[in-house]
Amino acid sequence: IITIVAEELAAVTDYFKENRTFTEKRGTQTARTYYFGKIKDKDGKELNVAATQAIEQGNRSVIAAYNALAEEFNPSLIVLLGIGGSIHKDVNIGDVAICESTYYYDKRAETSEGTKHRLDAFKMNAWTKEIIRKYHHANKTEEPLFDAAENNPTPKFKSYFGPIGTGEAVIKYKEAEERTWLISVNDKTLAVETEAGGVAQQFYEDELNYSRRAKGIIVLRGISDKADTEKKDAWRLAASKNAMRVLQEILKASNLD
């Protein structure tokens, strides 16, 4: 699991501590700190889970975190878990967006006629999509409802499956050009964030590796704001804990063998 801000890592380690599986140590390949715990799969098998926090926010630093995890543990699955901002009318604070495709919104040309955006997309691979399909099947809906974390603005939250916009810019107002463009590309775009593009790109390029490559990646974004002028940090921890709950439910519905 890769996290970015403190609340995201806290959501992961709190879960490990609650289940009495938590340990912490430095890596053998780098001085990066890893946080360990276990999550059960469909068969009741305890999966070994390692989490780390990127040094900085953004698509560049997350690539280093991805490579560190891959070199240290050679995991089957890499998960980017944390917060994002909703740009879809149905996706509310506390809900969780499961990324089906990433739309990188910062690839563009600046011309005399204005900005020309160029779509750079990455679609979830079939191996990972089968895991999500089993999660939806186990819950008998593609928008399952769960009890929310403490201090969530509502007692329940939903998970949604769809595209997510990713780029370097933090979007803080409703009329932002990037929001308008993402919705024009696909009106089902759920949220925006700033790291999924780096994770997707590294997974794509890892196909050239001889010795190690994850089978899939999952991006889970708990909604902590609406990517508008009301954006604030108050819902970060609850949204991250909701995302962690969705990861548990996803793994509980499948196995990674």
Side-chain angles (χ1 to χ4, degrees):
I1 299 174
I2 302 171
T3 63
I4 310 301
V5 299
E7 292 90 342
E8 297 170 352
L9 182 60
V12 177
T13 56
D14 282 356
Y15 172 78
F16 292 157
K17 290 173 183 176
E18 288 164 9
N19 288 274
R20 300 181 180 180
T21 62
F22 175 75
T23 57
E24 171 186 339
K25 66 178 181 179
R26 284 193 170 184
T28 61
Q29 304 298 310
T30 70
R32 187 181 295 271
T33 303
Y34 296 100
Y35 306 86
F36 301 93
K38 297 181 185 293
I39 302 176
K40 290 184 178 180
D41 70 5
K42 182 180 180 181
D43 302 322
K45 175 184 175 183
E46 289 189 324
L47 302 174
N48 295 314
V49 182
T52 194
Q53 184 177 7
I55 299 300
E56 297 177 354
Q57 296 183 32
N59 282 301
R60 293 177 298 172
S61 186
V62 80
I63 290 174
Y66 183 112
N67 281 319
L69 275 173
E71 290 169 11
E72 189 79 32
F73 305 109
N74 192 22
S76 297
L77 177 67
I78 291 182
V79 178
L80 177 64
L81 187 147
I83 58 172
S86 170
I87 62 170
H88 192 286
K89 62 181 178 61
D90 294 335
V91 181
N92 296 308
I93 291 174
D95 288 337
V96 176
I98 305 171
C99 181
E100 185 270 336
S101 299
T102 60
Y103 296 156
Y104 187 70
Y105 55 71
D106 272 337
K107 194 170 186 178
R108 62 188 183 267
E110 297 294 341
T111 73
S112 59
E113 298 175 351
T115 301
K116 304 291 185 182
H117 287 278
R118 296 171 176 174
L119 178 63
D120 192 359
F122 172 84
K123 188 174 183 179
M124 176 182 281
N125 68 355
W127 182 83
T128 314
K129 197 161 187 178
E130 176 66 2
I131 291 173
I132 303 303
R133 185 197 64 77
K134 290 181 179 179
Y135 160 71
H136 289 152
H137 174 69
N139 288 282
K140 300 181 180 180
T141 176
E142 292 188 357
E143 297 178 4
L145 189 69
F146 302 107
D147 291 332
E150 185 179 0
N151 296 324
N152 196 70
T154 58
K156 303 279 187 179
F157 76 92
K158 281 186 175 183
S159 76
Y160 295 87
F161 184 52
I164 289 178
T166 184
E168 308 307 320
V170 177
I171 298 174
K172 293 187 175 183
Y173 71 107
K174 193 172 183 179
E175 292 74 28
E177 181 189 23
E178 291 86 352
R179 283 184 61 142
T180 302
W181 179 75
L182 285 167
I183 293 169
S184 73
V185 170
N186 189 333
D187 62 355
K188 294 184 178 180
T189 304
L190 301 175
V192 289
E193 55 85 77
T194 55
E195 287 83 27
V199 170
Q201 185 67 29
Q202 190 58 54
F203 177 74
Y204 168 71
E205 295 195 21
D206 267 1
E207 190 171 0
L208 297 175
N209 283 343
Y210 290 122
S211 58
R212 56 118 178 129
R213 185 181 190 245
K215 292 181 180 179
I217 57 174
I218 295 177
V219 176
L220 299 175
R221 287 314 195 191
I223 301 303
S224 60
D225 60 76
K226 291 291 193 79
D228 57 16
T229 55
E230 300 298 316
K231 179 180 173 68
K232 56 185 178 180
D233 298 342
W235 308 117
R236 279 184 170 188
L237 183 58
S240 298
K241 288 194 171 190
N242 291 346
M244 188 62 188
R245 171 66 187 275
V246 170
L247 177 58
Q248 297 164 237
E249 297 293 334
I250 288 171
L251 296 178
K252 187 172 73 174
S254 191
N255 61 61
L256 304 184
D257 295 334

